[in-house]
């Protein structure tokens, strides 16, 4: 018996935003392994095509900062994974407003527009899974990440409202809240974290990223993908409006 048949995901369709890298690419691979037809939605055309080819899926090249282009969208999918994200590290008094708006567009406005576009089809079929890749920063704050923390806290609220509206139609919505995951997004912020905290780059992972986690290592993208795969499956039908931490104990503090 194939894994797909066991999890009841074979033949389902998924859209994964930011699916060309890191957590999104790991989710794309894990779902494809379960027999899901995956659309890798990403601004990086080359990487999206590559990941799609590797998993037998489809690339959807789109820039999620362009919210006007998503206003009339209709999305035919059983699973929507809102994952695309960027980071900008700066004290509030120096925080560039254009960068703030960009983070909000990709990480909060776009998930709203995509959920709005996907719900009618999910309601019609009586099945839907909205999975929002939030963060520990959807539940806790850190200095110098105002836009990111605000967007993720907003995403938590959006996910809960979607859960309440979708539940009667067989549509669940949940957040996944990882600590620091070994991806390009984290590698890119090491230099910035060193600068704003006034410490060497070599100290950033241990002194900044792992201080709160009781498990002293980064999360692996495949670990996040395994939780996402379970949330996408029919057995998780009563899990709704939840936020699942995967943070080595950070939020137990
Ligand atoms: N890496 C971590 O430590 C960590 C921890 C908690 C939550 N997260 C969240 O997980 C998600 C994925 O992060 P990651 O670490 O895998 O990042 P990543 O940088 O590896 O991948 C992000 C992907 O999003 C795409 N993307 C960025 N801007 C886009 C846009 N305007 N339009 C379309 N696509 C765009 C990128 O091209 C990239 O493929 C993000 O929402 C992030 O906030 C990451």
């Amino acid at each position: 018996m194939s894994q797909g048949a066991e999890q009841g995901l074979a033949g389902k369709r998924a859209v994964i935003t930011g699916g060309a890298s890191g957590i999104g690419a790991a989710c794309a691979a894990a779902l494809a392994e379960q027999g899901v037809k995956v659309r890798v939605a990403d601004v990086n055309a080359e990487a999206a095509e590559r990941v799609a080819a590797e998993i037998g899926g489809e690339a959807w090249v789109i820039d999620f900062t362009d919210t006007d282009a998503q206003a009339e969208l209709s999305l035919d999918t059983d699973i929507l994974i809102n994952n695309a994200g960027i980071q900008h590290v700066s004290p509030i008094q120096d925080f560039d407003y254009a960068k703030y708006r960009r983070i909000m567009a990709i990480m909060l406005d776009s998930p709203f527009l995509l959920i709005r576009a996907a719900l009618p089809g999910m309601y019609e079929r009586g099945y839907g899974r909205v999975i929002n890749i939030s963060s520990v920063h959807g539940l806790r704050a850190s200095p110098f990440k105002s836009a990111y923390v605000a967007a993720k806290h907003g995403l938590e609220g959006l996910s809960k409202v979607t859960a309440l509206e979708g539940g009667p139609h067989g549509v669940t919505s949940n957040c996944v809240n990882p600590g620091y995951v070994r991806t390009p997004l984290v590698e890119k912020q090491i230099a910035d974290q060193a600068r704003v905290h006034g410490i060497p780059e070599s100290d950033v992972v241990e002194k900044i990223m792992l201080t709160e986690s009781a498990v002293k290592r980064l999360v692996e993208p495949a670990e996040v993908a395994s939780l996402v795969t379970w949330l996408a499956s029919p057995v998780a039908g009563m899990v709704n409006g939840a936020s699942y931490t995967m943070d080595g104990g950070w939020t137990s503090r």
Side-chain angles (χ1 to χ4, degrees), residues 37-111:
K37 282 304 271 180
V38 176
R39 278 166 89 188
V40 177
D42 207 289
V43 71
N44 185 337
E46 200 189 317
E49 301 281 1
R50 192 183 58 243
V51 170
E54 276 165 19
I55 61 160
E58 215 180 281
W60 176 21
V61 179
I62 176 167
D63 182 350
F64 289 114
T65 57
D66 187 357
T67 46
D68 287 345
Q70 297 167 70
E72 305 299 327
L73 205 63
S74 167
L75 210 55
D76 206 12
T77 190
D78 306 301
I79 301 159
L80 169 63
I81 303 180
N82 284 311
N83 165 78
I86 55 171
Q87 181 60 278
H88 182 63
V89 179
S90 166
I92 293 173
Q93 65 272 24
D94 303 327
F95 210 107
D96 181 58
Y97 182 55
K99 287 193 173 136
Y100 176 91
R101 288 294 335 148
R102 193 176 165 77
I103 286 178
M104 286 296 168
I106 298 169
M107 292 166 54
L108 188 53
D109 296 355
S110 176

Side-chain angles (χ1 to χ4, degrees), residues 17-25 41-45 47-48 60-66 82-87 102 105-107 110 133-137 148 152 155 176-189 209 218-219 221 224:
T17 76
S21 173
I23 294 169
D42 207 289
V43 71
N44 185 337
W60 176 21
V61 179
I62 176 167
D63 182 350
F64 289 114
T65 57
D66 187 357
N82 284 311
N83 165 78
I86 55 171
Q87 181 60 278
R102 193 176 165 77
I106 298 169
M107 292 166 54
S110 176
I133 307 301
S134 178
S135 164
V136 164
H137 287 114
Y148 187 93
K152 291 299 192 193
L155 185 64
V176 171
N177 303 68
Y180 284 96
V181 186
R182 190 189 306 281
T183 72
L185 182 138
V186 160
E187 281 152 24
K188 277 184 234 155
Q189 68 176 274
M209 297 182 172
L218 297 174
V219 183
V224 181

